[in-house]
Amino acid sequence: MRLRLVKENTNFDFFARPKLWLGISVVLMILALGSFLYQGLNYGIDFKGGTTVRSESSTAIDVGAYRDAIVPLGLGDITISEVFDPTFDADQHVAMIRIEAQEGQEAVTSDVIAQVLSALQVIAPDIKFVSVESVGPKVSGELIQTAAIAVILAIAAVLIYIWLRFEWQFALGAVAALVHDVILTIGVFSELQIKFDLAIIAALLTIVGYSLNDTVVVFDRVRENLRKYKKKPLKEVLNISINETLSRTFMTSITTLLALIALFVLGGDVIRGFVFAMIWGVIVGTYSSIFIASAILLWLGVKRDWSKSDANAGTQFANIDA
């Protein structure tokens, strides 16, 4: 007997109250933007600037012990990661220690570096710092700008792809869902003041891809059913399409969430922010694919007879496999 998270031949009416779902999403987006504008994000070292120290020791690295030794110094955000390289000797253990820029200073001072070294020597007496590099506020500001451009370009690329693949109404629906997901994710990080760094930008781009995948699956079924049910109202065709893909949508989301929750619980502090963003993104991405993208498509309307070619409809590339 096969496991089914959703019964066969479901017939849920996802558009009984489309304005309600859109209204809830609009309110949440306004709250997210308000939180971002009022208190901003808790930027990590990548965006604040700071100092990166490369250490070497013959003692095996314990990231937790390193962190416990440095935290009492009160240096703010600290990131510690072990470096692996096949060229390292058997007793060569390398770690990267990143310390955020202190208030009013471009970089961590030599006195602070000496304090960190002394604290770590309690754990690894032979530890040494082989390099110390600093990233100033100017470079960090450029990183913020570059990250924002990366997200915007990704969404723009989605707009063009969906427009060529389907029609402009589908493209606007997909982009609205992606913007919804990104804004809500940024809003959660702003409200909870979770550290926001380049790993979270990677998570945002991954969320864009995941949400788009869900949306395209639904839209493909919508296009098939528009050919199949030429006389049915668009609302009914959308309901049929979402119900037909509901089992696949839930199975994909649940299995992805199981892996992410395991990483969140067992993965440690280094990737916890990234995994949290992914968990939240999977949830809102699944929601937006069903309730936002399709609702926008219902509101805009779409060509019904797909058996006729229309070079002006944005579907001239619809048969391209991608």
Side-chain angles (χ1 to χ4, degrees):
M1 182 177 179
R2 291 187 305 164
L3 173 65
R4 297 191 66 87
L5 298 179
V6 179
K7 294 181 180 179
E8 288 189 85
N9 302 319
T10 56
N11 191 28
F12 298 116
D13 186 0
F14 293 98
F15 300 99
R17 296 181 178 178
K19 293 182 179 179
L20 173 64
W21 300 116
L22 287 175
I24 291 174
S25 294
V26 169
V27 170
L28 290 176
M29 290 171 66
I30 291 173
L31 291 175
L33 289 172
S35 176
F36 173 73
L37 294 174
Y38 178 71
Q39 60 183 3
L41 293 168
N42 179 22
Y43 291 114
I45 296 173
D46 295 326
F47 297 132
K48 278 185 176 179
T51 298
T52 299
V53 179
R54 182 184 176 97
S55 71
E56 284 190 12
S57 171
S58 61
T59 306
I61 294 171
D62 185 336
V63 173
Y66 275 37
R67 183 176 288 106
D68 291 340
I70 299 174
V71 165
L73 300 178
L75 301 177
D77 186 19
I78 297 171
T79 301
I80 303 170
S81 58
E82 187 172 0
V83 179
F84 297 95
D85 193 306
T87 62
F88 289 166
D89 297 331
D91 62 345
Q92 186 180 9
H93 301 281
V94 179
M96 300 296 290
I97 305 167
R98 306 182 70 188
I99 306 169
E100 75 172 34
Q102 306 302 295
E103 187 174 353
Q105 298 178 358
E106 292 257 340
V108 176
T109 63
S110 57
D111 291 339
V112 172
I113 297 296
Q115 292 177 24
V116 173
L117 179 60
S118 299
L120 292 178
Q121 283 175 338
V122 176
I123 303 169
D126 65 335
I127 193 171
K128 59 182 179 180
F129 291 167
V130 296
S131 68
V132 178
E133 299 177 352
S134 296
V135 176
K138 182 178 179 180
V139 175
S140 299
E142 292 175 354
L143 282 176
I144 295 175
Q145 183 180 0
T146 304
I149 292 173
V151 175
I152 292 171
L153 288 178
I155 294 176
V158 168
L159 174 65
I160 296 171
Y161 168 76
I162 299 295
W163 195 328
L164 295 177
R165 179 77 173 168
F166 299 96
E167 285 188 18
W168 65 268
Q169 295 96 328
F170 288 85
L172 292 183
V175 168
L178 296 183
V179 171
H180 166 273
D181 299 343
V182 171
I183 289 177
L184 289 192
T185 303
I186 292 175
V188 165
F189 272 79
S190 173
E191 186 62 32
L192 301 180
Q193 287 296 288
I194 301 172
K195 185 175 68 175
F196 193 91
D197 52 24
L198 283 177
I200 308 306
I201 297 299
L204 286 176
L205 294 174
T206 307
I207 290 168
V208 167
Y210 182 91
S211 179
L212 175 63
N213 180 60
D214 261 355
T215 303
V216 167
V217 168
V218 174
F219 281 178
D220 262 330
R221 187 57 59 90
V222 169
R223 186 171 60 180
E224 292 173 7
N225 286 333
L226 285 173
R227 296 190 184 103
K228 186 176 180 181
Y229 305 108
K230 294 184 175 65
K231 302 298 182 182
K232 288 183 181 293
L234 179 58
K235 176 181 176 181
E236 191 173 343
V237 173
L238 288 171
N239 265 321
I240 292 172
S241 303
I242 295 174
N243 276 285
E244 288 178 350
T245 57
L246 195 61
S247 178
R248 178 264 176 206
T249 298
F250 268 82
M251 185 63 74
T252 303
S253 298
I254 294 298
T255 52
T256 304
L257 284 173
L258 288 175
L260 290 173
I261 291 171
L263 280 174
F264 185 80
V265 175
L266 304 174
D269 293 335
V270 175
I271 63 171
R272 189 155 289 158
F274 173 85
V275 176
F276 175 80
M278 287 297 302
I279 291 173
W280 175 258
V282 168
I283 294 171
V284 298
T286 303
Y287 165 82
S288 66
S289 297
I290 296 173
F291 292 102
I292 305 300
S294 299
I296 296 293
L297 185 59
L298 176 62
W299 177 52
L300 293 174
V302 67
K303 183 181 72 172
R304 299 307 310 275
D305 190 356
W306 283 73
S307 62
K308 297 179 180 178
S309 60
D310 182 358
N312 298 320
T315 60
Q316 58 268 40
F317 301 103
N319 293 323
I320 298 176
D321 291 330

